[in-house]
Amino acid sequence: MRTKFRAKHFLKLLDFTPEEILYFVDTAADLKRQWAMREPHEYLKGKCYAMIFEKKSTRTRTSFQAGMCSLGAQSIYMRPDEMQLSRGEPIRDTATILDRFFDGLFIRTFGQEIVEEFAAYMTNPVMNALTALAHPCQGLCDLLTIKEKFNVRSHNYKGLKICYAGDVYNVCQSLMVGAAAFGMDMYIARPDKREYDADPIVVEGIKPLAAASGAKIVFTDNFDEALKDADIVYGNTWHSMGENEEKAAQRVKDFMACGLSINNAALAKAKKDAI
């Protein structure tokens, strides 16, 4: 299968059509099979990629570096505190240098505008390894996991319900795009306060996707409502790293008020094949 991507950079799932996202998932499934069978798949042999992680990371950084190794490429980790960025160098200057010496950039940072600015000044691909707005690679991993666990055939995700409980940030917002694109209902349990609302960019962006697929994206402050008849139970942190630490205690109280701290029994009753 061949596809023409509208964006060379990989900054958020909303930049791609559902067909293109499915192409990513199918490609990932094939690469995973090749890796498991130890079949050679060094499609990026001779390539070298820069990695900037301004936020701490275990799973994302490890998977990126292991993936590059399996594909035959090298990845160079660049400590933010050792770069001129830490001394106030403009992103434009840093991006120009990285674009000259590397075949691409993986970056985990804070605002989405940072990865967008790197992409504006780089011709080689910039890949978002997490911002406050999006975690597109995690979104693809979630879609692949659902495909595997529920034996999704012909890309038919419809009929599945996702219960998501936790912070409505990058991970949640990327999964919202996937659910809306492929007809999955997604109930998001979070406190009913403005500060826990999803980003308007995502809310508006998924409306046409959900209308086309028939998906329901529902926000609720009742965890039991989100959990009822769920096929997939997705728990995440109540306080994302890098956010205002002074608000952490209040955020915990707000989430506990949704019943998230006293529902172990309800969780145990979730469908046995829930993820």
Side-chain angles (χ1 to χ4, degrees), residues 5-7 9-25 112 115-116 128 131 133-144 170-182 184 201-202 205-206 209:
F5 296 107
R6 293 180 300 161
H9 302 295
F10 190 69
L11 308 182
K12 60 184 185 296
L13 291 183
L14 281 172
D15 293 335
F16 301 92
T17 66
E19 292 74 20
E20 289 169 339
I21 294 173
L22 287 175
Y23 181 77
F24 288 143
V25 174
Q112 181 72 15
V115 298
E116 299 280 354
N128 182 358
T131 63
L133 179 74
H135 198 352
C137 293
Q138 180 66 56
L140 292 180
C141 288
D142 293 337
L143 289 172
L144 177 58
N170 35 51
V171 171
C172 178
Q173 292 179 155
S174 293
L175 186 57
M176 285 168 59
V177 177
F182 304 119
M184 292 183 285
I201 292 175
V202 178
I206 66 174
L209 295 174

Side-chain angles (χ1 to χ4, degrees), residues 92-153:
R92 178 175 183 171
D93 292 355
T94 300
T96 301
I97 293 298
L98 296 180
D99 202 34
R100 183 176 301 168
F101 289 102
F102 292 97
D103 295 292
L105 169 66
F106 310 132
I107 179 169
R108 165 173 285 206
T109 185
F110 295 89
Q112 181 72 15
E113 70 278 1
I114 297 175
V115 298
E116 299 280 354
E117 188 170 355
F118 269 100
Y121 295 117
M122 292 184 67
T123 56
N124 287 311
V126 175
M127 285 149 279
N128 182 358
L130 180 141
T131 63
L133 179 74
H135 198 352
C137 293
Q138 180 66 56
L140 292 180
C141 288
D142 293 337
L143 289 172
L144 177 58
T145 299
I146 294 170
K147 174 184 174 70
E148 293 175 337
K149 294 295 183 180
F150 290 91
N151 196 27
V152 171
R153 300 290 185 181

Side-chain angles (χ1 to χ4, degrees), residues 52-91:
I52 299 176
F53 279 67
E54 293 185 308
K55 286 186 174 184
K56 295 178 180 179
S57 174
T58 298
R59 281 155 288 278
T60 304
R61 180 179 164 186
T62 299
S63 60
F64 269 61
Q65 290 192 283
M68 286 297 97
C69 183
S70 295
L71 290 166
Q74 292 191 50
S75 55
I76 307 298
Y77 174 67
M78 309 181 71
R79 283 180 48 177
D81 62 315
E82 294 181 344
M83 300 179 68
Q84 297 294 357
L85 278 173
S86 65
R87 300 177 59 197
E89 179 176 88
I91 288 176

